[in-house]
Amino acid sequence: MGLVKSEGIVLKAGRLRETSKIVNLYTDRFGKLTVVAKGALKPGSRFGADLEVCNHILAVIYRREGKEIDYLSSTDILNDFPKTKAELPKWTAACGACELVDKATSGEEAQAQLFASLLGALKGIEDSASGRVAVHFWHFVLRLLEILGYRPDFSSCVKCRKMAEEDEVLFSAADGGLVCRNCSIGAEFYHKLSKSTAGKVSLLQRGRSENLSRINLTRSEKEEIRRVLPAFWKYHLGDKLDLKSFEFMEKVAGDRVR
Ligand SMILES: [Zn+2]
């Protein structure tokens, strides 16, 4: 083990004793690590403001064999996302993305892919017009679900594979996707959503982060997505997190996360 170098994104940062910080870092090489930055809260610390949530850093880490906590030796800032920190809707979405990763990962998942997706989302949020933050956030949530092994199917009925013909379709978190009228008979709980919302989610799911600019979400589509995707997340990953990220988005951002 010993000294290793990796890029990382700060998912969570807290105080440890008087002058140190304890940080959850999602690294491209090792997945999620918990690291201690000794003296990070002392004036003039070598870590400066590098360890704020959402920052993309280059970290030199002292890894300890078999220990849960490693030590941060030094950091360089690669991107501190200034526009994101200056605008509440962007900041809410970026912190939400980091929180979801923090809660849902253990470091054993597809690390480089997850790291690249999170970094892509943070850059997308930083560079987007504030009205387009939701497109980047939900695209990331769908990517994260897929990387974690949960891919909701918004393309056709998960039971009979028929495409929906009605304007309103049904979504079942338990069944993992859309369910047509025929197949839904006798079943317990469904979310209704418009066919246009299902189509947009499917586009977000298949779209690459570079060409999200072609996707626009209306206000009602955003509202439906805010009901359906957190419900799906909660059903499949609920025991792993208390969903603060989604609640936070509802409360603080509401319609402002557009
Ligand atoms: Zn069906």
Side-chain angles (χ1 to χ4, degrees):
M1 290 265 154
L3 283 177
V4 295
K5 205 177 214 183
S6 180
E7 287 183 39
I9 294 165
V10 179
L11 303 177
K12 186 178 173 183
R15 172 187 280 264
L16 182 73
R17 294 188 284 275
E18 283 300 290
T19 57
S20 297
K21 267 189 167 183
I22 184 159
V23 174
N24 284 354
L25 202 60
Y26 204 89
T27 66
D28 64 341
R29 290 182 61 196
F30 312 103
K32 187 165 79 174
L33 298 178
T34 299
V35 295
V36 167
K38 281 190 169 175
L41 294 170
K42 279 186 191 162
S45 148
R46 66 183 183 279
F47 299 108
D50 293 1
L51 299 176
E52 287 176 11
V53 172
C54 300
N55 281 358
H56 175 207
I57 61 174
L58 184 64
V60 178
I61 303 159
Y62 182 69
R63 296 211 62 195
R64 304 185 304 157
E65 189 87 50
K67 305 279 183 182
E68 283 180 12
I69 292 178
D70 298 309
Y71 287 106
L72 205 49
S73 174
S74 66
T75 51
D76 281 306
I77 201 92
L78 297 175
N79 197 335
D80 64 354
F81 303 107
K83 286 181 265 176
T84 296
K85 287 174 184 160
E87 286 181 48
L88 187 61
K90 289 186 176 190
W91 182 235
T92 306
C95 289
C98 288
E99 191 190 349
L100 290 177
V101 172
D102 187 42
K103 294 278 171 61
T105 60
S106 59
E108 287 161 14
E109 51 290 311
Q111 296 152 354
Q113 204 184 7
L114 199 156
F115 176 84
S117 294
L118 178 58
L119 184 59
L122 295 177
K123 286 182 175 170
I125 290 167
E126 171 79 359
D127 295 332
S128 70
S130 52
R132 298 191 45 78
V133 167
V135 169
H136 292 275
F137 180 77
W138 293 119
H139 171 73
F140 174 69
V141 171
L142 288 160
R143 284 291 299 140
L144 179 58
L145 282 168
E146 189 163 343
I147 291 167
L148 298 173
Y150 306 91
R151 189 183 197 278
D153 188 344
F154 285 86
S155 61
S156 58
C157 172
V158 292
K159 298 193 174 180
C160 71
R161 305 312 325 179
K162 265 196 215 145
M163 303 291 281
E165 284 163 14
E166 305 89 352
D167 285 342
E168 190 179 76
V169 295
L170 302 172
F171 177 83
S172 160
D175 292 327
L178 299 186
V179 180
C180 74
R181 295 267 166 206
N182 279 340
C183 297
S184 71
I185 292 167
E188 290 166 33
F189 189 71
Y190 290 97
H191 292 272
K192 288 180 187 167
L193 73 164
S194 69
K195 203 171 159 183
S196 80
T197 303
K200 294 285 176 72
V201 178
S202 199
L203 276 178
L204 282 174
Q205 211 166 28
R206 287 178 283 123
R208 297 175 61 83
S209 40
E210 333 48 287
N211 43 36
L212 291 179
S213 58
R214 290 186 219 140
I215 304 175
N216 291 302
L217 296 175
T218 65
R219 190 188 171 115
S220 69
E221 287 165 352
K222 283 173 207 162
E223 277 168 14
E224 289 187 331
I225 292 173
R226 280 214 307 268
R227 278 192 285 114
V228 167
L229 288 185
F232 178 83
W233 183 291
K234 193 170 187 172
Y235 186 89
H236 294 281
L237 288 143
D239 56 336
K240 292 190 188 169
L241 79 170
D242 58 11
L243 292 169
K244 256 200 284 178
S245 325
F246 292 127
E247 283 165 23
F248 189 56
M249 286 203 69
E250 292 281 338
K251 271 187 211 149
V252 179
D255 283 332
R256 282 176 292 156
V257 173
R258 288 161 301 187

